[in-house]
Amino acid sequence: MEQNDLPYGVLVDFYEKIEATTSRLAMTDYLVALFKKTPTNVLDKVIYLTQGQLRPDYEGVELGVAEKLTLRAISKASGVSLKSVEELYKKTGDPGLVAEELLSKPRQSAGLLGYIGEETGKRELMVSHVYNSLMKIALASGEGSQDTKINTLASLLSDASPKEAKYIVRTVTGKLRLGIADMTILDALAVAFTGTKSARDVLERAYTRRPDLGFIARTLAEKGLEAVRSIRIEVGVPILPMLAERLGDPGEILEKLGGSCLAEFKYDGERVQAHRKGDKVWLFSRRLENITSHYPDVVNFMLTLKADEFIVEGEIVAYNPDTGDMLPFQELMHRRRKYDVKKAMEEYPVRVYLFDIVYLNGEELIEKPLPERRKILESITPPRDENILLSQAKLVDNVKDLMLFFEEAISEGCEGVMCKSTGNQSIYQMGARGWLWIKFKRDYRMEMTDTVDLVVVGAFHGRGKRAGTYGALLMAAYDPNSDTFKTVCKVGSGFTDEDLANLPKLLEPYKIPHRHPRVVSKLEADVWFVPAVVLEIIGAEITLSPLHTCALGKIEPDSGLAVRFPRFTGRYRFDKKPEQATTESELIEMYKSQRKTVVQA
Ligand code: ATP
């Protein structure tokens, strides 16, 4: 075996173990063992592959080969007719299994190397070769690219064992979903390369500046922990955004923030992290996808800022060109279409409200308190521009003023206000949900007026009218402390017929035969999923419930929290990763503020 590469079979053994386990700890142990076995120069590739990708998300290198092309490649590699391949696919629904089954038969294809069996001493398939071929497939574009994709994949499959072929096919079709959290990978890296978990903090800090696990892993393995410590923010590479906690009581908010705060309008749009270096601009979404091509107008707005090199944050908001009024978030969905962005730009114009700056001309500003950052932001924002503005903000130090400002925000079409600490400690906390920013939306009263974003972790089969689709989905909140998803409700209402028809297909790639190790549930679902899909849910109220595991024992012994009468709002939160769903502590907070309002009323 070559010392600078890893047999792909080793990775495949690891995939199989991960798929079979229901223990979260075992996941980390398997990762540690894998990393220890992996030569340094393919460590990044192994990590990306493990996550079913080739590069970090924000670079936008997409695998997702269409199933049709994949089946053609399988046909070519196995020598089985396309018709038979398609038939088998109809039966199994998993192109990976099709590849595995057809490639375990003696091959009839001429010219290709072919898998003849272990005993023949066939050359081992190595990770680099798999990775490079997948990269070639991902990058092929333009004329002839379909043929390149099919031929490259067919040749790779010909060199693979049946089991390897199964995972290669799942990877190219975007169906390798192991559900390993980035934080678990950081834990495993710490143990594998420093011997203890204590280095995890350093790795996590580097990750908030540069969320590229492959890069961090190689830096650690090649240059050591000190080099990881000195990883800096780089223009063009998104940082993890700072997040807010939420409270429902203005008095409590002010108290938490030391008596006064900067209250800002909380705009209902799409969060954007804009980077600029000279004439080049990058736009990243809340979950760090590159969304530059959706907003050529925002790119131009960024070029009007008075600095050459910066990273700023703001909210992109759609508005009605006739009245100038702000429109709700949903209107931005028109910008997601691939073609005719120009037309969408005219029909659905947007403005940007800037609220933070984290980097300017070579200097990181994250350690500076908010008032200083805001001043710097103001100094580079053109005055009186209609398209790019500073967020509306006001320093407040009493409940009355805060409520007045809040009402103003609501009447202008905002969701509420963001209350931000202005103290010396008011740094930009990358990647953290903390008390330096507190969101204050329309109150939580008895009826739940605020929505929650929950993760689909399981489902129950539908009956009667719903036969063939799901009757209800098992939904969970995220608990960052234990890195697990804890159930809060079964949701069956709010779905349109179209939603219902699409659900099985939408969730198919995440289906697993048992509860995912990161899911904590007392209920036994009919079908389990890798936590991945986030849905927006509204309910009547948040109640105590012995059935659910969210906040179990934290408010009352033997009781968790549940959303009563939950309903899907129609909003799929594809812009959120499961780890960005509503957290257990947010639900506890919502429950408490609900009670407080009831007591006060
Ligand atoms: P979160 O981003 O906290 O996970 P979410 O995506 O469901 O939750 P909200 O709970 O509505 O969003 O509130 C947070 C979001 O509000 C921010 O991520 C940002 O997009 C948006 N926002 C609007 N105005 C501001 C502002 N002035 N300052 C900070 N964020 C703002």
Side-chain angles (χ1 to χ4, degrees):
M1 184 180 87
E2 295 162 63
Q3 271 312 300
N4 55 2
D5 212 337
L6 184 78
Y8 185 63
V10 173
L11 200 52
V12 164
D13 288 344
F14 163 79
Y15 291 157
E16 287 198 309
K17 281 193 206 144
I18 289 279
E19 281 188 343
T21 186
T22 53
S23 149
R24 230 181 67 76
L25 287 178
M27 265 181 143
T28 316
D29 292 345
Y30 292 142
L31 273 170
V32 171
L34 175 70
F35 294 160
K36 282 188 170 161
K37 248 184 253 172
T38 303
T40 315
N41 62 324
V42 287
L43 186 59
D44 47 354
K45 297 188 170 90
V46 162
I47 288 178
Y48 298 134
L49 286 175
T50 299
Q51 299 207 298
Q53 35 190 86
L54 296 175
R55 296 288 306 156
D57 277 341
Y58 58 83
E59 288 189 13
V61 178
E62 273 180 40
L63 258 171
V65 175
E67 254 138 39
K68 255 198 183 144
L69 292 193
T70 310
L71 297 182
R72 276 165 66 187
I74 296 174
S75 159
K76 199 163 183 181
S78 62
V80 175
S81 75
L82 183 58
K83 199 159 161 265
S84 316
V85 175
E86 284 171 347
E87 266 161 27
L88 188 59
Y89 173 56
K90 261 194 210 128
K91 256 191 244 154
T92 62
D94 176 352
L97 291 180
V98 175
E100 182 175 30
E101 182 169 335
L102 295 181
L103 291 170
S104 42
K105 301 193 171 127
R107 314 264 164 104
Q108 298 146 27
S109 60
L112 294 169
L113 186 61
Y115 174 73
I116 318 160
E118 310 278 333
E119 68 282 1
T120 57
K122 184 172 78 79
R123 202 160 50 93
E124 259 185 324
L125 194 58
M126 305 304 277
V127 162
S128 298
H129 179 60
V130 173
Y131 181 90
N132 294 340
S133 305
L134 296 183
M135 197 56 135
K136 190 168 162 195
I137 292 170
L139 297 182
S141 70
E143 215 181 310
S145 63
Q146 290 217 349
D147 286 342
T148 311
K149 285 179 200 257
I150 295 172
N151 292 338
T152 313
L153 182 55
S155 134
L156 190 57
L157 293 177
S158 304
D159 290 348
S161 72
K163 227 189 277 168
E164 289 170 342
K166 172 168 95 178
Y167 286 102
I168 288 172
V169 164
R170 284 192 181 163
T171 308
V172 290
T173 49
K175 288 204 158 128
L176 181 81
R177 319 258 181 182
L178 302 175
I180 304 175
D182 289 5
M183 292 304 139
T184 310
I185 293 190
L186 290 182
D187 274 341
L189 284 172
V191 176
F193 294 101
T194 70
T196 95
K197 260 195 188 170
S198 58
R200 149 76 191 267
D201 282 355
V202 177
L203 298 185
E204 197 176 329
R205 235 171 290 134
Y207 178 80
T208 58
R209 283 191 158 82
R210 191 170 177 131
D212 178 347
L213 289 171
F215 178 81
I216 291 176
R218 274 192 75 160
T219 308
L220 177 66
E222 280 169 4
K223 301 182 191 149
L225 201 56
E226 274 317 299
V228 175
R229 216 188 287 273
S230 47
I231 289 176
R232 288 281 160 264
I233 293 177
E234 215 172 275
V235 175
V237 179
I239 59 164
L240 290 196
M242 174 165 178
L243 300 174
E245 283 286 353
R246 69 168 115 190
L247 282 178
D249 178 69
E252 209 175 319
I253 292 177
L254 283 170
E255 200 183 303
K256 269 264 185 223
L257 296 170
S260 67
C261 69
L262 187 73
E264 295 182 23
F265 277 15
K266 185 176 176 311
Y267 300 94
D268 184 18
E270 174 162 23
R271 185 170 185 163
V272 66
Q273 193 184 119
H275 293 225
R276 172 174 157 196
K277 193 174 211 164
D279 291 339
K280 185 152 172 58
V281 173
W282 297 258
L283 304 177
F284 299 107
S285 70
R286 160 86 167 69
R287 63 181 292 175
L288 312 187
E289 289 145 335
N290 191 324
I291 50 168
T292 316
S293 63
H294 302 178
Y295 297 106
D297 35 7
V298 176
V299 169
N300 285 333
F301 303 162
M302 291 304 154
L303 292 171
T304 66
L305 292 194
K306 292 177 280 173
D308 256 5
E309 209 189 349
F310 59 76
I311 302 174
V312 293
E313 266 206 303
E315 191 85 355
I316 301 179
V317 184
Y319 67 92
N320 179 332
D322 298 324
T323 61
D325 290 348
M326 286 193 256
L327 297 173
F329 162 85
Q330 283 87 328
E331 298 293 329
L332 289 174
M333 285 302 125
H334 302 286
R335 294 299 192 97
R336 295 249 157 191
R337 59 186 183 206
K338 276 206 172 127
Y339 309 100
D340 247 349
V341 176
K342 263 220 170 100
K343 201 157 160 244
M345 254 165 64
E346 280 160 24
E347 285 173 29
Y348 307 95
V350 298
R351 288 196 283 258
V352 179
Y353 291 93
L354 297 175
F355 55 76
D356 222 316
I357 179 159
V358 291
Y359 183 93
L360 180 68
N361 299 331
E363 194 192 347
E364 290 188 358
L365 306 177
I366 47 175
E367 300 292 335
K368 293 198 187 295
L370 176 67
E372 239 178 278
R373 299 202 305 277
R374 178 110 187 161
K375 227 181 254 161
I376 298 173
L377 183 62
E378 202 173 341
S379 74
I380 67 163
T381 309
R384 291 181 297 281
D385 193 294
E386 284 179 5
N387 299 315
I388 187 156
L389 306 109
L390 282 181
S391 62
Q392 187 91 351
K394 188 179 179 160
L395 269 173
V396 291
D397 62 2
N398 62 74
V399 170
K400 192 168 150 258
D401 286 353
L402 179 53
M403 282 315 291
L404 274 176
F405 191 68
F406 176 81
E407 297 301 338
E408 193 185 327
I410 299 284
S411 66
E412 295 269 335
C414 291
E415 291 182 300
V417 290
M418 273 284 193
C419 299
K420 302 184 178 176
S421 164
T422 52
N424 289 337
Q425 305 301 319
S426 59
I427 59 167
Y428 186 94
Q429 268 179 329
M430 290 181 296
R433 195 181 289 289
W435 292 104
L436 291 175
W437 285 9
I438 303 176
K439 45 194 179 194
F440 176 32
K441 304 201 217 174
R442 257 163 277 178
D443 62 3
Y444 302 129
R445 291 286 150 101
M446 256 308 274
E447 74 280 28
M448 201 179 143
T449 46
D450 193 18
T451 57
V452 284
D453 298 320
L454 301 175
V455 186
V456 185
V457 295
F460 301 86
H461 293 310
R463 271 174 283 175
K465 247 175 68 188
R466 296 232 181 141
T469 177
Y470 295 124
L473 302 178
L474 183 60
M475 308 299 296
Y478 181 57
D479 172 17
N481 295 325
S482 58
D483 183 34
T484 55
F485 297 88
K486 299 176 171 175
T487 68
V488 270
C489 62
K490 274 161 70 171
V491 63
S493 344
F495 297 97
T496 62
D497 290 346
E498 199 188 340
D499 287 325
L500 287 173
N502 286 336
L503 274 179
K505 201 162 167 224
L506 174 75
L507 292 165
E508 178 63 33
Y510 308 103
K511 227 167 160 180
I512 41 174
H514 49 71
R515 185 181 50 75
H516 192 271
R518 292 168 73 207
V519 171
V520 188
S521 174
K522 285 190 190 175
L523 296 174
E524 202 40 59
D526 294 333
V527 183
W528 292 104
F529 302 111
V530 175
V533 176
V534 181
L535 303 183
E536 190 180 79
I537 304 292
I538 182 99
E541 61 174 322
I542 296 170
T543 56
L544 289 170
S545 156
L547 292 179
H548 290 285
T549 52
C550 177
L552 186 61
K554 294 201 171 153
I555 296 166
E556 293 284 340
D558 302 326
S559 240
L561 285 180
V563 174
R564 200 159 78 97
F565 301 137
R567 185 164 44 82
F568 174 46
T569 64
R571 198 149 150 181
Y572 294 89
R573 296 297 309 256
F574 295 126
D575 59 322
K576 279 200 162 185
K577 290 189 184 185
E579 292 83 11
Q580 292 165 339
T582 300
T583 60
E584 178 179 66
S585 62
E586 283 181 287
L587 278 162
I588 295 177
E589 203 44 61
M590 287 172 83
Y591 174 74
K592 285 187 183 159
S593 55
Q594 217 177 247
R595 301 221 346 156
K596 220 175 273 163
T597 335
V598 177
V599 173
Q600 277 166 5

